[in-house]
PDB file of all heavy atoms in Angstrom:
ATOM      1  N   PHE A 107      94.201  75.307 103.347  1.00 98.00           N
ATOM      2  CA  PHE A 107      94.181  76.729 103.643  1.00 98.00           C
ATOM      3  C   PHE A 107      92.964  77.318 102.938  1.00 98.00           C
ATOM      4  O   PHE A 107      92.775  77.122 101.755  1.00 98.00           O
ATOM      5  CB  PHE A 107      95.451  77.413 103.131  1.00 98.00           C
ATOM      6  CG  PHE A 107      95.458  78.900 103.346  1.00 98.00           C
ATOM      7  CD1 PHE A 107      96.102  79.434 104.476  1.00 98.00           C
ATOM      8  CD2 PHE A 107      94.899  79.802 102.438  1.00 98.00           C
ATOM      9  CE1 PHE A 107      96.135  80.815 104.712  1.00 98.00           C
ATOM     10  CE2 PHE A 107      94.941  81.154 102.645  1.00 98.00           C
ATOM     11  CZ  PHE A 107      95.543  81.682 103.795  1.00 98.00           C
ATOM     12  N   GLN A 108      92.130  78.064 103.688  1.00 98.00           N
ATOM     13  CA  GLN A 108      90.906  78.653 103.125  1.00 98.00           C
ATOM     14  C   GLN A 108      90.862  80.137 103.414  1.00 98.00           C
ATOM     15  O   GLN A 108      91.104  80.605 104.528  1.00 98.00           O
ATOM     16  CB  GLN A 108      89.661  77.971 103.683  1.00 98.00           C
ATOM     17  CG  GLN A 108      88.367  78.331 102.977  1.00 98.00           C
ATOM     18  CD  GLN A 108      87.761  79.662 103.416  1.00 98.00           C
ATOM     19  OE1 GLN A 108      87.772  80.009 104.584  1.00 98.00           O
ATOM     20  NE2 GLN A 108      87.224  80.419 102.467  1.00 98.00           N
ATOM     21  N   GLU A 109      90.517  80.876 102.351  1.00 97.00           N
ATOM     22  CA  GLU A 109      90.314  82.329 102.521  1.00 97.00           C
ATOM     23  C   GLU A 109      89.457  82.831 101.360  1.00 97.00           C
ATOM     24  O   GLU A 109      89.542  82.327 100.244  1.00 97.00           O
ATOM     25  CB  GLU A 109      91.652  83.082 102.541  1.00 97.00           C
ATOM     26  CG  GLU A 109      91.505  84.533 102.915  1.00 97.00           C
ATOM     27  CD  GLU A 109      92.838  85.214 103.202  1.00 97.00           C
ATOM     28  OE1 GLU A 109      93.864  84.744 102.651  1.00 97.00           O
ATOM     29  OE2 GLU A 109      92.863  86.191 103.975  1.00 97.00           O
ATOM     30  N   LYS A 110      88.643  83.869 101.653  1.00 94.00           N
ATOM     31  CA  LYS A 110      87.832  84.458 100.616  1.00 94.00           C
ATOM     32  C   LYS A 110      88.613  85.488  99.792  1.00 94.00           C
ATOM     33  O   LYS A 110      89.429  86.207 100.341  1.00 94.00           O
ATOM     34  CB  LYS A 110      86.581  85.141 101.227  1.00 94.00           C
ATOM     35  CG  LYS A 110      85.533  84.191 101.748  1.00 94.00           C
ATOM     36  CD  LYS A 110      84.388  84.921 102.396  1.00 94.00           C
ATOM     37  CE  LYS A 110      83.554  85.694 101.386  1.00 94.00           C
ATOM     38  NZ  LYS A 110      82.368  86.320 102.013  1.00 94.00           N
ATOM     39  N   ILE A 111      88.347  85.514  98.508  1.00 92.00           N
ATOM     40  CA  ILE A 111      88.779  86.597  97.630  1.00 92.00           C
ATOM     41  C   ILE A 111      87.523  87.168  97.043  1.00 92.00           C
ATOM     42  O   ILE A 111      86.797  86.476  96.332  1.00 92.00           O
ATOM     43  CB  ILE A 111      89.745  86.097  96.523  1.00 92.00           C
ATOM     44  CG1 ILE A 111      90.976  85.455  97.139  1.00 92.00           C
ATOM     45  CG2 ILE A 111      90.136  87.270  95.610  1.00 92.00           C
ATOM     46  CD1 ILE A 111      91.933  84.881  96.102  1.00 92.00           C
ATOM     47  N   ALA A 112      87.231  88.418  97.368  1.00 86.00           N
ATOM     48  CA  ALA A 112      85.950  89.034  97.035  1.00 86.00           C
ATOM     49  C   ALA A 112      84.861  88.201  97.711  1.00 86.00           C
ATOM     50  O   ALA A 112      84.869  88.049  98.926  1.00 86.00           O
ATOM     51  CB  ALA A 112      85.762  89.141  95.530  1.00 86.00           C
ATOM     52  N   THR A 113      83.933  87.627  96.947  1.00 85.00           N
ATOM     53  CA  THR A 113      82.873  86.837  97.533  1.00 85.00           C
ATOM     54  C   THR A 113      83.076  85.325  97.391  1.00 85.00           C
ATOM     55  O   THR A 113      82.225  84.538  97.776  1.00 85.00           O
ATOM     56  CB  THR A 113      81.512  87.216  96.897  1.00 85.00           C
ATOM     57  OG1 THR A 113      81.589  86.965  95.479  1.00 85.00           O
ATOM     58  CG2 THR A 113      81.175  88.671  97.139  1.00 85.00           C
ATOM     59  N   ASP A 114      84.211  84.938  96.835  1.00 92.00           N
ATOM     60  CA  ASP A 114      84.445  83.531  96.523  1.00 92.00           C
ATOM     61  C   ASP A 114      85.351  82.878  97.592  1.00 92.00           C
ATOM     62  O   ASP A 114      86.389  83.426  97.969  1.00 92.00           O
ATOM     63  CB  ASP A 114      85.116  83.372  95.159  1.00 92.00           C
ATOM     64  CG  ASP A 114      84.211  83.861  94.029  1.00 92.00           C
ATOM     65  OD1 ASP A 114      83.059  83.396  93.979  1.00 92.00           O
ATOM     66  OD2 ASP A 114      84.658  84.702  93.236  1.00 92.00           O
ATOM     67  N   LYS A 115      84.911  81.711  98.070  1.00 95.00           N
ATOM     68  CA  LYS A 115      85.642  81.009  99.149  1.00 95.00           C
ATOM     69  C   LYS A 115      86.626  80.008  98.512  1.00 95.00           C
ATOM     70  O   LYS A 115      86.239  78.937  98.052  1.00 95.00           O
ATOM     71  CB  LYS A 115      84.675  80.270 100.042  1.00 95.00           C
ATOM     72  CG  LYS A 115      83.713  81.189 100.793  1.00 95.00           C
ATOM     73  CD  LYS A 115      82.736  80.386 101.650  1.00 95.00           C
ATOM     74  CE  LYS A 115      81.774  81.303 102.412  1.00 95.00           C
ATOM     75  NZ  LYS A 115      80.850  80.503 103.267  1.00 95.00           N
ATOM     76  N   PHE A 116      87.901  80.372  98.511  1.00 97.00           N
ATOM     77  CA  PHE A 116      88.909  79.542  97.885  1.00 97.00           C
ATOM     78  C   PHE A 116      89.576  78.610  98.915  1.00 97.00           C
ATOM     79  O   PHE A 116      89.767  78.985 100.071  1.00 97.00           O
ATOM     80  CB  PHE A 116      89.977  80.392  97.228  1.00 97.00           C
ATOM     81  CG  PHE A 116      89.522  81.046  95.945  1.00 97.00           C
ATOM     82  CD1 PHE A 116      88.910  82.262  95.953  1.00 97.00           C
ATOM     83  CD2 PHE A 116      89.699  80.405  94.724  1.00 97.00           C
ATOM     84  CE1 PHE A 116      88.467  82.873  94.785  1.00 97.00           C
ATOM     85  CE2 PHE A 116      89.303  80.980  93.547  1.00 97.00           C
ATOM     86  CZ  PHE A 116      88.665  82.217  93.578  1.00 97.00           C
ATOM     87  N   LEU A 117      89.931  77.433  98.477  1.00 98.00           N
ATOM     88  CA  LEU A 117      90.594  76.445  99.317  1.00 98.00           C
ATOM     89  C   LEU A 117      91.726  75.802  98.532  1.00 98.00           C
ATOM     90  O   LEU A 117      91.538  75.414  97.348  1.00 98.00           O
ATOM     91  CB  LEU A 117      89.615  75.374  99.729  1.00 98.00           C
ATOM     92  CG  LEU A 117      90.158  74.206 100.550  1.00 98.00           C
ATOM     93  CD1 LEU A 117      90.364  74.632 102.030  1.00 98.00           C
ATOM     94  CD2 LEU A 117      89.242  72.988 100.504  1.00 98.00           C
ATOM     95  N   TYR A 118      92.912  75.746  99.107  1.00 98.00           N
ATOM     96  CA  TYR A 118      93.982  74.993  98.480  1.00 98.00           C
ATOM     97  C   TYR A 118      94.583  73.982  99.445  1.00 98.00           C
ATOM     98  O   TYR A 118      94.572  74.214 100.670  1.00 98.00           O
ATOM     99  CB  TYR A 118      95.054  75.882  97.824  1.00 98.00           C
ATOM    100  CG  TYR A 118      95.920  76.687  98.789  1.00 98.00           C
ATOM    101  CD1 TYR A 118      96.969  76.112  99.504  1.00 98.00           C
ATOM    102  CD2 TYR A 118      95.730  78.061  98.902  1.00 98.00           C
ATOM    103  CE1 TYR A 118      97.781  76.870 100.337  1.00 98.00           C
ATOM    104  CE2 TYR A 118      96.520  78.829  99.751  1.00 98.00           C
ATOM    105  CZ  TYR A 118      97.541  78.225 100.453  1.00 98.00           C
ATOM    106  OH  TYR A 118      98.336  78.959 101.290  1.00 98.00           O
TER     107      TYR A 118
END
Side-chain angles (χ1 to χ4, degrees):
F107 179 95
Q108 191 278 321
E109 189 169 27
K110 287 177 70 175
I111 300 177
T113 59
D114 297 307
K115 297 179 180 180
F116 286 88
L117 177 78
Y118 67 77

